């Protein structure tokens, strides 16, 4: 028997195992068991292996001689990348996935909750889903049936196990894209309203702490995190939870409202206002959520806090997503809210290593791109000398969202020329993500000492490089650059690929 509660997980591609091998090594040789777990590239809890032994012990006699054959090719202790959600046992073939969960004691509500949650995770695989839970203490077996669970027997489980031939032959991580579980309240509003999303362990921890703190009378909370960490989803989840608890909630968005905002307002009766309309907040508001708070002015913030001093506040933002030097609220936060409770999301769920690596190198060519990352599959660049050719090309890219520079509200400027097709500007995309993004780099951009610089666009109050960062950081999948009449810049960007 092993003494370690948890065998250290070894990085690398996870291998499938034979459950009979697992059980026999566990019972006979700690050293061989430890070596086998390391070979599999996984981790396993002691109680789970004990449950596997018990499960194999209750097999009917006619299955004793074939157990090593039918219980082959199982993943043990697989965790969804970045979400840290674990499946005890998985077996996957081309048209079906089997999940067996192992429990020591029987708590029926916990079993049902876990099975239904795993059903949601596994829907991503677009295969028939079979989920069973084995209770070691009572030797009871439950299975998924529609959106409920029913008690079943070992023969029902064995029927499914026997039917799973020709398991997949690929890295299991390729089947699970964690970004699919990170939805945007704006771009996937129906999924958000219908709760078709899951949280990481960190998000769940923050949720519990803030709800508990609100119940204990605390009233100021700050959630921070860079793009792709799920801070916006978590913040709007709080708003939804509090609305359902019959609290009067107002969301202040420190930017321009987008289509998702307007859907939440018109179809679901949410109260969402842009920061410029903060004086319209009702005085009986219980909770005020301020999203993209890095863009609020100190005057606006102090005025809101003074006028609505009895409200609970949830702030959300990212210091990197500022568009001018006046947006310095984060630096003043601790001075102005003494009792703010701060939470940080640091793990990126929506991680596009190619885009992230290229963006770092684009702004600072001293940043080296990891040779193991094939950026050419996700990043592309084109050059056109003529304005007409560039914009004809952009209009043809129907599957890309063209994000351009924010024009002045008061003066005509060169940025006005770039407002074409279904474009959105840097201000309109704050807080949103898009599958594929296309941006324009014109003659204003240049490199100086390997750092990307840009001349100010006449009539536009925002630095072009900050607007560019806002544009490119909205990318989920693919990012394309169109360089206009700037061959020197084009040449320098090509060097990044080499």
């Amino acid at each position: 028997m092993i003494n370690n509660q948890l065998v250290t997980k070894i990085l690398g591609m996870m291998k499938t195992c034979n459950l009979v091998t697992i059980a026999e090594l566990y019972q006979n040789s700690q050293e061989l068991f430890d070596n086998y777990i390391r070979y599999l590239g996984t981790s396993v809890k002691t109680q789970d292996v004990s449950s596997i032994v018990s499960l194999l012990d209750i097999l009917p006699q006619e299955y004793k001689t074939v157990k090593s054959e039918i219980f082959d090719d199982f993943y043990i202790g697989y965790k969804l990348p970045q979400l840290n959600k674990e499946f005890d046992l998985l077996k996957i073939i081309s048209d079906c996935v089997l999940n067996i969960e192992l429990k020591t004691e029987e708590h029926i509500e916990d079993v049902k909750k876990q099975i239904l949650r795993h059903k949601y995770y596994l829907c991503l695989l677009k295969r028939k889903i079979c989920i069973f839970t084995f209770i070691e203490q009572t030797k009871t077996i439950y299975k998924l049936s529609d959106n409920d669970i029913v008690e079943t027997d070992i023969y029902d489980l064995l029927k499914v196990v026997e039917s799973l031939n020709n398991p997949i032959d690929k890295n299991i991580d390729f089947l699970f894209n964690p970004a699919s579980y990170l939805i945007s309240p704006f771009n996937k509003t129906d999924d958000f309203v219908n709760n078709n999303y899951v949280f990481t362990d960190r998000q769940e921890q923050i949720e519990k702490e803030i709800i508990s703190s609100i119940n204990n009378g605390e009233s100021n909370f700050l959630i921070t995190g860079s793009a792709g960490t799920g801070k916006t989803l978590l913040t709007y989840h709080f708003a939804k939870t509090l609305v359902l608890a019959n609290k009067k909630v107002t969301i202040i968005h420190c930017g321009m409202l987008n289509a998702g905002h307007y859907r939440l307002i018109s179809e679901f009766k949410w109260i969402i206002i842009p920061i410029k309309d903060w004086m319209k907040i009702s005085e009986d508001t219980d909770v005020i959520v301020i999203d993209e708070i890095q863009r609020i002015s100190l005057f606006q913030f102090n005025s809101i806090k003074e006028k609505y001093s009895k409200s609970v506040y949830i702030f959300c933002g990212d210091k990197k997503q500022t568009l001018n030097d006046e947006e310095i609220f984060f630096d003043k936060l601790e001075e102005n809210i003494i009792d703010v409770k701060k939470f940080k999301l640091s793990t990126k769920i929506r991680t596009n290593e190619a885009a992230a690596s290229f963006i770092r190198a684009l702004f600072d060519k001293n940043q080296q791109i990891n040779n193991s990352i094939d950026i050419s599959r996700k990043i592309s660049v084109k050059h056109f000398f003529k304005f007409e050719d560039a914009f004809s090309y952009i209009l043809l890219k129907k599957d890309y969202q063209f994000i351009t520079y924010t024009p002045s509200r008061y003066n005509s400027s060169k940025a006005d020329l770039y407002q074409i097709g279904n474009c959105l500007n840097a201000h309109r995309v704050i807080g949103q993500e898009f599958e594929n993004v296309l941006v324009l780099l014109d003659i204003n951009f240049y490199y100086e000492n390997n750092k990307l610089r840009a001349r100010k666009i006449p009539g536009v109050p925002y630095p072009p490089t900050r607007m560019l960062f806002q544009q490119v950081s909205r990318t989920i999948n693919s990012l394309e650059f169109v360089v206009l009449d700037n061959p020197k810049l084009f040449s320098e960007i090509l060097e990044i690929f080499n």
Side-chain angles (χ1 to χ4, degrees), residues 347-365:
T347 301
K348 286 196 173 187
I349 308 170
R350 174 173 56 79
T351 300
N352 184 332
E353 289 294 340
S357 183
F358 187 86
I359 290 169
R360 287 192 295 268
L362 176 73
F363 284 90
D364 182 358
K365 291 180 66 177

Side-chain angles (χ1 to χ4, degrees), residues 234-290:
L234 178 59
T235 302
Y236 277 70
H237 170 83
F238 277 122
K240 181 173 63 177
T241 300
L242 293 166
V243 167
L244 293 174
N246 295 317
K247 299 293 184 182
K248 189 167 185 178
V249 179
T250 297
I251 298 175
I252 302 174
H253 181 69
C254 298
M256 304 173 75
L257 301 191
N258 57 54
H261 284 129
Y262 287 117
R263 281 202 65 198
L264 289 171
I265 294 167
S266 63
E267 296 181 32
F268 304 102
K269 310 308 176 187
W270 283 39
I271 303 172
I272 307 174
I273 60 174
I275 182 61
K276 65 183 180 65
D277 294 335
W278 69 265
M279 288 180 287
K280 297 180 180 179
I281 300 173
S282 173
E283 293 193 8
D284 63 346
T285 297
D286 299 307
V287 181
I288 296 176
V289 176
I290 305 181

Side-chain angles (χ1 to χ4, degrees), residues 449-497:
N449 298 324
N450 278 338
K451 302 291 180 64
L452 185 64
R453 310 293 189 197
R455 302 172 190 88
K456 185 176 179 180
I457 302 174
V460 176
Y462 307 106
T465 51
R466 292 197 183 181
M467 287 191 285
L468 177 63
F469 182 77
Q470 183 68 230
Q471 294 162 3
V472 298
S473 62
R474 304 300 94 202
T475 307
I476 295 175
N477 186 34
S478 297
L479 175 61
E480 182 164 350
F481 297 87
V482 170
V483 181
L484 175 59
D485 195 20
N486 195 338
K488 181 173 175 54
L489 178 71
F490 182 60
S491 177
E492 296 243 34
I493 293 176
L494 291 179
E495 290 176 0
I496 300 175
F497 288 87

Side-chain angles (χ1 to χ4, degrees), residues 392-418:
S392 293
Y393 177 78
I394 290 171
L395 289 172
L396 287 173
K397 301 290 287 187
K398 301 295 185 184
D399 53 343
Y400 278 69
Q401 177 60 58
F402 176 43
I403 305 177
T404 187
Y405 304 92
T406 304
S408 171
R409 289 183 293 171
Y410 311 105
N411 308 305
S412 61
S413 70
K414 190 173 182 179
D416 295 335
L417 299 174
Y418 302 157

